[in-house]
Structure formats: C-alpha cells, structure tokens
C-alpha cells in the first residue's frame, strides 16, 4: 500500500494506514453498528424497491416527471444502502483492511455518488414543484418527460464525476497533501469542496421549497374563497400542495439525519477530532440509512397516487392467494383428506 501522510492522532498505528480509522474498540460497539446497518439497510432496500415498482408498474404515474425524480431518489437510496452497508460493516465491524487504496476510494465514490444523486434528485423535485405552482399554465411545456430524463442523466453523470475525483488522482497520497481525519486517503481540500457542493445543493432546495410553500399557502387561500368553482384546476392545485408538503417532510428528515455527519465533517476540516468524536461520527453515519428508510414511508402515507397503487398491488396479491386456495387441485386435496378421515 502506498505510503500516505495521516493524521497526527493516528501515528500510533503499527500495521498500515487503514487501521488508524477503525475507531470501534469494543465488541459491543461493533455488534451495535452491525445490527443498525443490517436492519436499516434491509428495510431501505425493500421499501425503496417497492417505491420503484409502484412507479414504473403504473403507466399513469411513471409518465409524470415528478415521479421520475422520486424514482431517481429511491434508486439512489438503494445503491447508497447496499454500498454503504457492505463497505462500512466490512471495514468497521470485521476490520477488513486488506484491500487496496483504489478499492477503498471506489467504494467511497459509490457512496458519495449515491448520496449526491439523492440530494440532487430532491433539488430537481423542488424545481419541478416550483414550476408547477409558479407557472401552472406553462408547466407541461416546460417540464416534459424528455427534459426530465435529460436532467436525470446530467445529474447522475455530474455526481459520479465529482465523487470519483479522489480515485482519479485528487487524493492525499498522490498529491502528498494533508489527509482527512475521517476518511483514509481523502484530501482535506477535496472534502472541503465536496462539503461546499452539498451546502449549495441544500441551500437551493431550501430556497425552492420556501417559495413552493409560500405559493401553496396562496393556493389554499384561493381554493377557500372559490370553493364553488371547484374543478380540475382546484384538484390539481390540491395535488400540488399535497406533494409539496410531502417533499418538505422528506427534506426535513434529510436535514435531521445528515446534519450531525455534515457538522462533524466541517469540524474535521478546521480542527482535529478526538477518538470519541470519531466514534460518534461512525454511529451518526448510520442515520444516513435511517433517512433512506424513512423516505418511502413518507411517500406511502402522503402521496395519494402511490398509496392507491400500493392498495391495488395488495388487492391483486390477495386475489391471487384466494384463487390459489380455491383452485381445483386444492379442492381435490381437501376432498381426498376428508375421505381418508
């Protein structure tokens, strides 16, 4: 493994650089992390896979750009959960450090790509709601499926490019620069740049949603005054308001789950972290999985279209079970058992 400048508090490591970042010292801590990652990761993959199925199995839903962006968010959460759980548990619980610098940076790039794509998908959804509420008469012309797919392609390509910069050479081993105290081989300047990118995304999302909520309140007041003229326009307004509130809940969960991690990352750029804070960072990282697990629950509870699609899937599944129980083979088996008795 390449020699690399590491944090001062990691100089006591004797075997290699990777061991300096294995901060879980007791078996109880490792078991706790393993249980949290296993539970949150499994539920996240199941729930987000269900969201993707509901979106792309319903022709009326998958044609809408809003749900294409939500599908992108669900896909990003699935990938983040799989890559994060496998690499995080393997590193911190099983203390596997036999892989190379390139493999570690590839895994880290996968996690960063998925999270950045998740956050960027929320930004596209916010812009979609902004256009829908601020310019309703031009919305269908401005936000077409072709433009939505193009935006998603640019989004994923940009996130993957930024996340893979350390693998392509922007790391403290190649540059012989200062390394991060939280991630092996990661250059502090790259971490600072990535944090700025995330802060800009969050700021744009908050600004867009603030405007969406302001317009949503205006629409609610309008509907109350013109209840007698209720029709397709008011119905669409109600759907816009409902979806806006849903996505604000998603954003609130995102900020609550990621703010501890981001704050510790920012703190590590300007000051040294104690061993205790590095352990806290490891446990706070599991909140990212919790965020990905909660998002689909919010969709099911708040989106009437997804909830209706989920009810249809369950109804179809129950009918299949009932048909299987009432099939001729089941009846003949039941009769033969009665005769034998």
């Amino acid at each position: 493994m390449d020699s690399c400048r590491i944090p001062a508090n990691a100089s006591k490591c004797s075997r290699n650089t990777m061991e300096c970042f294995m901060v879980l010292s007791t078996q109880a801590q490792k078991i706790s992390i393993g249980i949290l990652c296993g539970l949150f990761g499994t539920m996240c993959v199941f729930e987000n896979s269900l969201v993707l199925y509901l979106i792309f199995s319903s022709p009326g839903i998958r044609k809408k750009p809003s749900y294409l962006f939500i599908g992108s968010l669900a896909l990003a959460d699935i990938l983040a959960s799989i890559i994060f759980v496998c690499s995080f548990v393997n590193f911190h619980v099983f203390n596997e450090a036999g892989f190379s610098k390139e493999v570690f940076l590839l895994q880290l790039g996968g996690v960063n790509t998925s999270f950045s794509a998740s956050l960027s998908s929320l930004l596209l959804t916010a812009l979609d709601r902004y256009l829908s509420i601020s310019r309703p008469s031009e919305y269908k012309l401005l936000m077409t499926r072709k433009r939505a797919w193009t935006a998603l392609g640019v989004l994923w390509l940009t996130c993957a490019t930024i996340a893979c910069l350390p693998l392509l050479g922007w790391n403290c081993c190649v540059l012989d620069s200062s390394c991060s105290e939280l991630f092996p081989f990661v250059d502090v300047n790259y971490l600072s740049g990535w944090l700025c990118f995330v802060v800009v995304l969050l700021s744009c999302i908050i600004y867009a949603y603030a405007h969406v909520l302001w317009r949503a309140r205006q629409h609610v007041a309008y509907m109350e005054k013109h209840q007698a003229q209720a029709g397709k326009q008011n119905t669409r307004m109600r759907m816009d308001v409902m979806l806006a509130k849903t996505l604000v809940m998603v954003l609130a969960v995102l900020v609550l789950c990621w703010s501890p991690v981001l704050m510790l990352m920012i703190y590590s750029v300007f000051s040294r972290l104690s061993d205790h804070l590095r352990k806290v960072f490891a446990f706070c990282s599991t909140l990212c999985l919790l965020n990905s697990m909660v998002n689909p629950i919010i969709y099911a509870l708040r989106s009437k279209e997804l909830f209706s699609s989920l009810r249809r899937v369950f109804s179809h599944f129950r009918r299949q079970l009932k048909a299987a129980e009432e099939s001729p083979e089941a009846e003949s088996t039941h009769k033969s058992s009665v005769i034998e008795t």
Side-chain angles (χ1 to χ4, degrees):
M1 185 176 296
D2 298 339
S3 60
C4 184
R5 188 181 303 172
I6 58 178
N9 62 353
S11 59
K12 58 186 178 182
C13 299
S14 57
R15 286 202 299 167
N16 53 48
T17 303
M18 301 292 287
E19 286 189 358
C20 308
F21 298 87
M22 297 176 181
V23 295
L24 302 183
S25 55
T26 66
Q27 195 67 20
Q29 293 174 351
K30 296 179 181 180
I31 293 176
S32 300
I33 285 288
I35 292 175
L36 290 175
C37 288
L39 177 61
F40 293 163
T42 302
M43 292 298 296
C44 176
V45 171
F46 172 76
E47 292 172 0
N48 284 285
S49 298
L50 181 60
V51 169
L52 285 178
Y53 174 78
L54 293 177
I55 291 175
F56 291 99
S57 64
S58 303
I61 294 179
R62 68 169 178 260
K63 292 181 181 179
K64 298 181 178 181
S66 300
Y67 289 101
L68 290 179
F69 299 147
I70 292 176
S72 174
L73 176 63
L75 177 62
D77 286 338
I78 290 174
L79 294 178
S81 299
I82 295 175
I83 301 173
F84 178 85
V85 169
C86 293
S87 59
F88 195 79
V89 171
N90 190 45
F91 184 80
H92 284 289
V93 177
F94 298 107
N95 298 136
E96 181 61 43
F99 44 83
S100 64
K101 174 191 69 178
E102 289 75 18
V103 172
F104 177 83
L105 291 178
L106 180 62
Q107 294 175 348
L108 184 63
V111 174
N112 286 346
T113 299
S114 303
F115 170 62
S116 301
S118 176
L119 196 59
S120 301
S121 297
L122 276 176
L123 176 59
L124 287 182
T125 309
L127 295 176
D128 174 73
R129 291 299 89 200
Y130 176 87
L131 290 176
S132 177
I133 289 183
S134 62
R135 305 175 69 176
S137 60
E138 305 173 27
Y139 172 73
K140 290 186 177 180
L141 295 176
L142 294 174
M143 187 57 67
T144 62
R145 294 183 74 246
K146 182 178 180 180
R147 290 181 178 179
W149 281 111
T150 302
L152 288 175
V154 173
L155 177 158
W156 280 89
L157 181 60
T158 302
C159 293
T161 301
I162 294 175
C164 289
L165 287 177
L167 182 63
L168 298 176
W170 191 354
N171 59 72
C172 54
C173 299
V174 173
L175 300 177
D176 193 26
S177 56
S178 299
C179 293
S180 167
E181 290 186 304
L182 294 174
F183 306 102
F185 315 119
V186 174
D187 181 74
V188 171
N189 293 326
Y190 169 80
L191 182 60
S192 302
W194 186 82
L195 288 172
C196 291
F197 172 66
V198 171
V199 170
V200 169
L201 286 179
L202 284 173
S203 300
C204 292
I205 292 173
I206 292 172
Y207 173 80
Y209 275 125
H211 186 83
V212 166
L213 286 180
W214 176 64
R215 294 302 297 265
R217 291 189 62 184
Q218 289 184 327
H219 283 185
V220 170
Y222 174 85
M223 287 186 291
E224 291 176 352
K225 292 181 180 180
H226 301 81
Q227 196 65 32
Q229 302 177 0
K232 290 184 177 180
Q233 183 178 4
N234 282 354
T235 301
R236 187 185 58 77
M237 284 182 180
R238 290 190 184 94
M239 292 177 61
D240 289 341
V241 172
M242 178 65 74
L243 189 54
K245 291 179 179 179
T246 298
L247 295 170
V248 167
M249 292 175 62
V250 174
L251 177 61
V253 172
L254 177 76
V255 172
L256 289 175
C257 290
W258 277 91
S259 55
V261 173
L262 293 177
M263 292 301 294
L264 286 173
M265 286 184 187
I266 294 173
Y267 182 76
S268 70
V269 172
F270 299 100
S271 180
R272 291 195 176 278
L273 295 177
S274 64
D275 291 341
H276 175 71
L277 284 179
R278 295 168 71 197
K279 291 180 182 180
V280 170
F281 177 80
F283 277 91
C284 288
S285 299
T286 61
L287 291 176
C288 308
L289 290 177
L290 179 62
N291 167 71
S292 299
M293 186 185 73
V294 170
N295 283 345
I297 298 176
I298 298 176
Y299 305 150
L301 293 178
R302 300 286 300 179
S303 174
K304 291 184 178 179
E305 292 177 297
L306 282 181
F307 188 72
S308 298
S309 180
L310 181 61
R311 289 177 59 185
R312 286 195 298 270
V313 169
F314 283 147
S315 298
H316 180 68
F317 181 70
R318 285 197 300 267
R319 286 196 299 269
Q320 285 186 333
L321 288 179
K322 188 176 181 180
E325 292 175 356
E326 296 176 355
S327 62
E329 292 80 2
E331 291 182 0
S332 61
T333 302
H334 175 70
K335 290 180 180 179
S336 61
S337 63
V338 171
I339 292 173
E340 291 176 358
T341 303

